[in-house]
Amino acid sequence: MHADWTWNQIMYFCAGGLGVVFVFVCFALKECPEEIGGINPNDMDDSTALVNPERDSGEKPTFQQLVAPLFRDPRFWAVCLMSASLTFVRETFREWTAMFLKNALHMQKDEAATASIVFPLAGGCATLLAGIYLDKIDRRARGPFLISFCIGVLVSTLCLWLVVITDVVTTISGIVLIGAIGFFLVPPFSFIAGVLAVEIAGKGRESTCSTLFEAVGYTASVAAPQLTGILAEKGWSLVFLMLMIVGCIGTASVGLYWWYSIKHFRKTGLFTPLLEDPSGGKVDIFSTAVHPQYADSKTVQ
């Protein structure tokens, strides 16, 4: 906007960026994890997920065989609720941040469009840091991580709602709080279609599970901009109040997922949550690796 580009020039610029990404991926993307010293997913333990006898027998499962175990698992429905609520909040900020900055903070169109990048930028950085931390440093923190980040979304949205209704919101405070919401929101959202789908479905159903999570999320994303537009006409405070309610639903769904995960692992007897292991560490209820001490157990004492 600062350069007075036409829409054609903007689209050419975007296409050029995608072209650079395409060339990079062609040379950098490997065919399998072994090429970069990783482990083949087919060789990884799958014991925390649903049993998949169809895959083990070599037969092609039917659609009913793929989805029926998922529908019977309460963890699946908890993550569906999580996907809907987090996607709703994400799409609201993605679509309406620039408009909020223009209308409520009286920024110019080009300034509002530039400042709105703080939401995805903060979220992307947080996702990268969270992934590295959980994989390389402390895999035990995955459950508390999901809960704490969802609470962070609630607190940040509450602060933004308070500064709006008290009419003390400034350009700096508005941008900082929007960045904070993106920082806390995007990492848990990014876990849904990948990590949590594998945790619940395991190898053989993970693609189906991930697709269902995405379908639920994008269904919610259709309603988010419409409801936001209706409420924004009556005041931005109503928008942030709605987002706090949806955020509470998302946080509750994370708690349900964690609770049902604990019950699932206690029922299967693979390991107990956060139980001391012989090496002095902890056994994570979200970890896909079963400690040898519990590999053959059927019940948890």
Side-chain angles (χ1 to χ4, degrees):
M1 290 185 179
H2 287 291
D4 291 328
W5 283 9
T6 65
W7 282 110
N8 285 342
Q9 290 173 316
I10 293 175
M11 295 304 162
Y12 289 145
F13 179 80
C14 294
L18 290 175
V20 172
V21 174
F22 173 76
V23 173
F24 173 78
V25 169
C26 285
F27 289 96
L29 185 63
K30 305 301 180 181
E31 291 294 331
C32 59
E34 292 95 322
E35 294 187 21
I36 58 173
I39 302 175
N40 192 317
N42 292 325
D43 298 331
M44 295 177 65
D45 193 355
D46 196 25
S47 49
T48 66
L50 298 173
V51 178
N52 195 347
E54 295 84 7
R55 182 205 69 214
D56 298 334
S57 64
E59 300 177 359
K60 291 185 178 180
T62 64
F63 179 75
Q64 181 178 358
Q65 290 172 326
L66 285 173
V67 300
L70 295 175
F71 289 171
R72 291 194 298 265
D73 192 332
R75 297 176 300 163
F76 171 81
W77 295 108
V79 177
C80 282
L81 187 60
M82 187 196 315
S83 178
S85 55
L86 296 185
T87 305
F88 187 98
V89 177
R90 190 198 68 159
E91 288 300 304
T92 297
F93 279 98
R94 191 180 71 87
E95 295 284 346
W96 286 93
T97 295
M99 187 65 69
F100 167 73
L101 295 175
K102 176 180 176 294
N103 292 347
L105 305 185
H106 310 292
M107 298 178 67
Q108 297 297 321
K109 288 183 178 180
D110 54 349
E111 295 175 344
T114 302
S116 65
I117 198 175
V118 68
F119 180 80
L121 181 62
C125 293
T127 301
L128 180 62
L129 294 175
I132 294 174
Y133 174 78
L134 292 175
D135 281 343
K136 299 294 185 180
I137 301 176
D138 192 357
R139 294 189 65 200
R140 297 174 294 151
R142 194 179 299 166
F145 160 82
L146 291 171
I147 292 287
S148 60
F149 268 59
C150 286
I151 293 175
V153 174
L154 286 178
V155 173
S156 302
T157 308
L158 174 62
C159 292
L160 188 56
W161 176 69
L162 289 175
V163 297
V164 168
I165 64 173
T166 55
D167 202 24
V168 296
V169 62
T170 63
T171 301
I172 298 299
S173 64
I175 293 175
V176 168
L177 288 173
I178 290 173
I181 294 171
F183 182 90
F184 289 114
L185 174 68
V186 178
F189 172 83
S190 67
F191 272 51
I192 294 174
V195 176
L196 299 187
V198 174
E199 292 282 1
I200 294 175
K203 299 186 294 290
R205 287 193 180 93
E206 71 276 24
S207 297
T208 301
C209 188
S210 176
T211 301
L212 292 173
F213 288 158
E214 290 287 346
V216 171
Y218 283 108
T219 299
S221 72
V222 174
Q226 305 298 326
L227 291 176
T228 303
I230 294 173
L231 294 177
E233 293 181 352
K234 301 178 181 180
W236 285 101
S237 61
L238 292 177
V239 173
F240 298 122
L241 181 60
M242 173 190 69
L243 293 178
M244 282 193 293
I245 295 173
V246 176
C248 287
I249 296 174
T251 304
S253 66
V254 175
L256 286 174
Y257 174 75
W258 199 2
W259 170 253
Y260 283 121
S261 294
I262 294 173
K263 293 183 64 177
H264 170 77
F265 292 128
R266 282 177 174 170
K267 180 179 179 180
T268 57
L270 297 172
F271 46 77
T272 56
L274 296 180
L275 185 68
E276 295 285 349
D277 67 23
S279 63
K282 300 285 187 178
V283 179
D284 180 16
I285 65 169
F286 285 96
S287 173
T288 55
V290 179
H291 194 278
Q293 179 180 350
Y294 313 108
D296 298 325
S297 62
K298 297 304 181 183
T299 59
V300 175
Q301 301 298 329

